[in-house]
Amino acid sequence: MRSVASNVDLNADQDVHSPKPKLDHPVNLRSVLAFLAIIALGLGYTAWSIYTDIRATNASVATLLPFIMLGVALFVALGFEFVNGFHDTANAVATVIYTHSLPANIAVVWSGFFNFLGVLFSTGAVAFGIVSLLPVELILQVGSQAGFAMVFALLIAAIIWNLGTWWLGLPASSSHTLIGSIIGVGIANALMRGKDGTSGVDWSKAVEIGYALLISPLVGFTCAALLLLLMKFVVRKPELYQEPKGQTPPPLWVRGLLILTCTGVSFAHGSNDGQKGMGLIMLILIGTVPTAYALNRALPASHIAAFASASQAASKVVESKAAGYNVLGDPRPAVTSYISQHDLNEGAYPSLAALIREISNEMTNYGSVAKIPFAIVGNTRNDMYLVSEAIRFLSKDKGSSLTESDMKVLKDYKEQLDQATKFIPTWVKIAVAVALGLGTMIGWKRIVVTVGERIGKQHLTYGQGASAELVAMATIGAADMFGLPVSTTHVLSSGVAGTMAANGSGVQMGTIRNLLMAWVLTLPCAILLSGTLYFVLRHVL
């Protein structure tokens, strides 16, 4: 596949009469030192936060090996977010740069800052939506060799594919890549355990996320085209829909709109894409330092009363479905089997009821999450995770025979469980925010040139830039609200193509062909890469 950026001289001086923006600005020593200082401060803050969290538990440290593995895993996870920054966020700044709304060097710093804020103010819904795709047995044993092999395989595969498409100047999707990597690990894990490859993936969640990723480019193309046509009908100013004259910036109100939409896309990208790394980092922390991160020890003691009430109500619902059946032995295998196989047999309800009772007894006996002994905190979290996931599947299972009132009771109980298990410490958000924000400021040119020059046959107009950015901001923001990971790359690139078609500017079919090829190949290549890496790492670690 030929690089679509190969014919662009990124270092050439720009003619003042040319509409092409100046992409190269001198980098002084002060900027480099400031960049390195931020990295050093971020890493130092991360290490100090982990140290203080572990010290607060008063747990003894028997060996340094888990912390070495933790350091390597965190480095890889933050490396993924760094690459994600310059790979994806270039899409957010391309329109403001090519419409001369902001100089390139200011645009990337501006975008990086709002990516940083987007991560800090994210909800966490996307983070745990991504984690739900992983095989349940690996999540329960994330601190094992298989667990580390899973994390390393999917992150390294995603980084390799992102770097490859970036080098070719192709705006492929980091979201698509990460989800393909997760599916690859799930399939490889199932095959290595002698099972059908399809049993290693939560396909219902994969399909839900897949729809969001496939539909979002269509939404981007169609809505951006329609918005441009509407703008041309309402705002009858020909200069908005023509190639910029030299380096002239757009009218003030259009410039403000473009900067606002760039800001919104950057913030939404940080809020959505930043969470994917956060979910994986939490898995790493739970696996290596469960005493500090398996459960949310910041929950107040008053949480127990609400938990006990919700637990009692949920127990009644589940036990009513389990009438006539008893559990012999450990209830966990039956619940795990239901989550992985989605087979609601006669053992599922009584096993789930037994597990709910065990969790309720533990919480009531200890009085708060913070007082659960370190020796069992990992097991308690696994039990809570199993019950929460089982309830999630029961709510979708047509054979569950649950009424609406039953589902409401179970949903309330699940929310209480998730408060204890699905949390993200502030320092994790800050670490990811720094990695993503700094990544935005490096290596952005290749993708920016593709979006700004290689999709359409004519230079990007002010109206096209505003339409594409508005649609991208709205689409990604809506997806974040619903906890769905969508691709900034797909939405923005398809939006630019839509405006080119609507404006009669024409599209460069060679670039569109390369983009479509990259989009089509992303999933299978990521699956193959991560599956192979998982197989290799399982025999090395």
Side-chain angles (χ1 to χ4, degrees):
M1 189 184 299
R2 184 177 65 85
S3 170
V4 296
S6 59
N7 294 329
V8 180
D9 183 2
L10 298 180
N11 297 310
D13 292 333
Q14 300 295 322
D15 186 346
V16 293
H17 301 294
S18 169
K20 290 186 179 181
K22 183 180 180 181
L23 298 180
D24 288 291
H25 296 268
V27 179
N28 57 50
L29 180 61
R30 186 178 299 175
S31 299
V32 173
L33 292 176
F35 187 87
L36 295 175
I38 293 172
I39 293 177
L41 287 172
L43 292 175
Y45 174 69
T46 299
W48 174 255
S49 299
I50 294 172
Y51 170 74
T52 54
D53 286 347
I54 295 172
R55 188 177 64 176
T57 64
N58 295 317
S60 59
V61 177
T63 174
L64 293 177
L65 181 60
F67 299 98
I68 295 172
M69 294 293 289
L70 172 62
V72 174
L74 285 178
F75 180 80
V76 174
L78 293 174
F80 166 76
E81 287 297 343
F82 184 84
V83 173
N84 187 9
F86 67 71
H87 186 275
D88 275 22
T89 315
N91 295 280
V93 299
T95 54
V96 291
I97 291 173
Y98 273 83
T99 57
H100 310 299
S101 298
L102 285 175
N105 57 337
I106 295 177
V108 294
V109 174
W110 182 270
S111 178
F113 177 68
F114 281 96
N115 265 277
F116 177 88
L117 292 182
V119 177
L120 289 185
F121 289 99
S122 59
T123 62
V126 173
F128 296 108
I130 287 288
V131 170
S132 297
L133 281 172
L134 294 165
V136 63
E137 62 273 11
L138 290 184
I139 293 177
L140 297 179
Q141 302 174 21
V142 71
S144 65
Q145 292 177 332
F148 277 108
M150 169 189 71
V151 172
F152 285 132
L154 65 90
L155 285 173
I156 293 172
I159 290 172
I160 290 172
W161 183 256
N162 278 348
L163 286 176
T165 52
W166 165 79
W167 182 257
L168 294 170
L170 294 170
S173 167
S174 293
S175 301
H176 226 154
T177 305
L178 183 59
I179 289 166
S181 298
I182 290 172
I183 292 173
V185 168
I187 292 174
N189 179 64
L191 291 174
M192 289 176 69
R193 296 171 70 236
K195 295 184 178 181
D196 181 357
T198 59
S199 66
V201 179
D202 177 2
W203 290 107
S204 63
K205 190 69 177 179
V207 168
E208 178 186 333
I209 292 174
Y211 278 137
L213 289 170
L214 290 174
I215 293 173
S216 54
L218 300 177
V219 171
F221 184 95
T222 305
C223 292
L226 292 175
L227 182 59
L228 180 66
L229 293 175
L230 177 64
M231 186 184 294
K232 293 176 77 171
F233 178 77
V234 175
V235 185
R236 298 177 183 272
K237 291 188 175 183
E239 65 270 19
L240 296 181
Y241 316 109
Q242 297 173 358
E243 184 178 278
K245 305 298 182 184
Q247 304 295 305
T248 306
L252 186 60
W253 70 273
V254 176
R255 191 177 189 181
L257 179 63
L258 282 161
I259 294 173
L260 174 65
T261 51
C262 167
T263 303
V265 169
S266 300
F267 185 90
H269 177 266
S271 179
N272 194 282
D273 276 43
Q275 293 189 57
K276 296 156 192 171
M278 284 192 278
L280 295 172
I281 286 174
M282 286 310 299
L283 274 184
I284 294 167
L285 292 170
I286 291 165
T288 51
V289 200
T291 54
Y293 300 108
L295 294 174
N296 185 4
R297 293 182 171 270
L299 286 174
S302 58
H303 170 74
I304 294 297
F307 183 88
S309 176
S311 179
Q312 185 177 12
S315 182
K316 288 180 180 178
V317 169
V318 175
E319 285 175 355
S320 68
K321 306 298 180 183
Y325 296 96
N326 293 313
V327 178
L328 298 176
D330 187 359
R332 294 166 186 79
V335 179
T336 303
S337 176
Y338 171 64
I339 295 171
S340 58
Q341 304 297 326
H342 305 166
D343 181 17
L344 189 60
N345 55 40
E346 64 276 5
Y349 273 125
S351 298
L352 183 59
L355 208 49
I356 290 173
R357 287 194 298 270
E358 283 192 28
I359 295 171
S360 178
N361 290 337
E362 280 188 7
M363 294 287 281
T364 303
N365 290 339
Y366 294 117
S368 73
V369 173
K371 293 180 181 178
I372 296 177
F374 301 130
I376 67 169
V377 71
N379 292 333
T380 302
R381 183 199 179 275
N382 283 349
D383 290 347
M384 288 183 171
Y385 178 81
L386 280 176
V387 172
S388 177
E389 286 296 283
I391 291 173
R392 180 170 70 88
F393 283 111
L394 281 173
S395 66
K396 301 177 182 179
D397 197 327
K398 294 180 180 179
S400 64
S401 67
L402 292 170
T403 65
E404 286 190 14
S405 60
D406 291 340
M407 290 176 66
K408 184 181 184 306
V409 167
L410 293 180
K411 180 183 176 183
D412 291 342
Y413 178 55
K414 183 179 185 302
E415 289 176 355
Q416 294 292 326
L417 290 171
D418 290 347
Q419 285 184 41
T421 59
K422 296 183 178 181
F423 68 102
I424 299 174
T426 302
W427 72 261
V428 172
K429 288 188 174 185
I430 292 175
V432 170
V434 169
L436 191 65
L438 292 180
T440 303
M441 303 175 197
I442 288 184
W444 46 270
K445 295 178 188 175
R446 290 176 178 272
I447 307 297
V448 163
V449 169
T450 298
V451 175
E453 299 181 25
R454 297 294 176 176
I455 292 179
K457 290 183 178 179
Q458 297 179 12
H459 192 283
L460 193 72
T461 69
Y462 304 138
Q464 289 172 326
S467 299
E469 286 275 18
L470 272 171
V471 169
M473 181 178 69
T475 304
I476 299 165
D480 188 39
M481 288 176 61
F482 290 102
L484 294 173
V486 297
S487 168
T488 305
T489 305
H490 286 187
V491 175
L492 200 285
S493 300
S494 58
V496 170
T499 61
M500 290 291 175
N503 205 43
S505 306
V507 294
Q508 298 191 40
M509 292 310 298
T511 301
I512 299 300
R513 182 182 64 249
N514 285 345
L515 289 177
L516 290 174
M517 188 181 300
W519 293 358
V520 169
L521 291 176
T522 292
L523 265 181
C525 288
I527 289 171
L528 183 61
L529 270 173
S530 65
T532 303
L533 282 170
Y534 179 75
F535 177 81
V536 172
L537 291 171
R538 283 290 282 117
H539 290 83
V540 172
L541 293 179

